[in-house]
């Protein structure tokens, strides 16, 4: 029993002495808390008039009326551009629609209303704004992955040696 007690005591002593050395590592590994923005304390209202294609996708925003809060304006504009407007049975009506967002600071809720302004339009076959954004992002990614660089063989070719021109 005596032989077992000393190795255990040695391990405990090494662990206790080694803990202060690990303390800075543990402190450095803890992440900083995220700063959460405060919700607005005033009511906010934005209004958009959008064109909707035959699939129910928003094609573009034709009119927009924002509020003083730029973050709320950006948030609601992004939502409108990705929106689908369809009937409960899944069919869509090509036309102009008014979409309004209202923020209530007491309940911290955002309410969205959609109303048909006018049926019909020549944008029924146009692609939706969300699809255009996805296509643009894919195109930009492909351009970044394959930049227009000269070939490696052209870069590794020997270059002519510079000649010394006497000043004269």
């Amino acid at each position: 029993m005596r032989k077992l007690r000393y190795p255990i005591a040695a391990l405990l002593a090494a662990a206790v002495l080694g803990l202060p050395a690990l303390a800075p590592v543990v402190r450095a590994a803890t992440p900083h808390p995220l700063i959460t923005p405060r919700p607005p304390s005033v009511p906010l209202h934005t209004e958009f008039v959008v064109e909707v294609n035959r699939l129910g996708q928003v094609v573009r925003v034709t009119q927009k009326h924002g509020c003083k809060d730029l973050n709320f304006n950006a948030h609601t504009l992004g939502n409108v551009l990705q929106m689908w407007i369809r009937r409960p049975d899944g069919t869509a009506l090509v036309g102009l629609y008014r979409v309004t967002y209202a923020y209530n600071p007491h309940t911290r809720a955002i309410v969205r209303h959609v109303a048909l302004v006018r049926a019909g339009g020549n944008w029924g076959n146009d692609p939706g704004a969300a699809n255009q954004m996805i296509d643009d992002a894919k195109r930009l990614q492909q351009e970044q992955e394959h930049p227009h660089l000269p070939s490696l063989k052209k870069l590794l070719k020997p270059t002519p040696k510079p000649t010394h021109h006497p000043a004269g």
Side-chain angles (χ1 to χ4, degrees), residues 1 6 9-10 14 22 27 31 33 50 53-54 69 76 78 85 94 102-103 107 109 118-119 121 126 142 150 168:
M1 284 265 188
Y6 293 119
L22 294 176
R27 272 188 242 121
V50 297
N53 66 11
R54 63 183 171 80
D69 189 342
T76 55
I85 300 175
V94 175
Y103 170 74
T107 61
R118 183 186 59 178
D126 291 353
Q142 287 175 352

Side-chain angles (χ1 to χ4, degrees), residues 50-133:
V50 297
E51 298 174 354
V52 175
N53 66 11
R54 63 183 171 80
L55 301 173
Q57 299 169 324
V58 171
V59 174
R60 70 185 59 84
V61 175
T62 58
Q63 295 177 6
K64 52 187 168 190
H65 295 38
C67 61
K68 291 182 179 180
D69 189 342
L70 298 178
N71 288 329
F72 187 73
N73 291 343
H75 182 87
T76 55
L77 177 62
N79 283 348
V80 164
L81 289 173
Q82 298 177 50
M83 183 182 288
W84 292 67
I85 300 175
R86 292 183 174 177
R87 296 181 184 127
D89 64 353
T91 61
L93 178 65
V94 175
L96 284 176
Y97 289 84
R98 177 173 288 113
V99 181
T100 59
Y101 288 91
Y103 170 74
N104 184 347
H106 301 294
T107 61
R108 294 185 179 171
I110 299 173
V111 179
R112 178 181 65 195
H113 295 283
V114 179
L116 178 66
V117 175
R118 183 186 59 178
N122 60 355
W123 53 84
N125 291 325
D126 291 353
N131 291 345
Q132 289 176 346
M133 288 187 281

Side-chain angles (χ1 to χ4, degrees), residues 15-30:
V16 169
L17 294 175
L19 283 178
L22 294 176
V25 175
V26 172
R27 272 188 242 121
T30 57

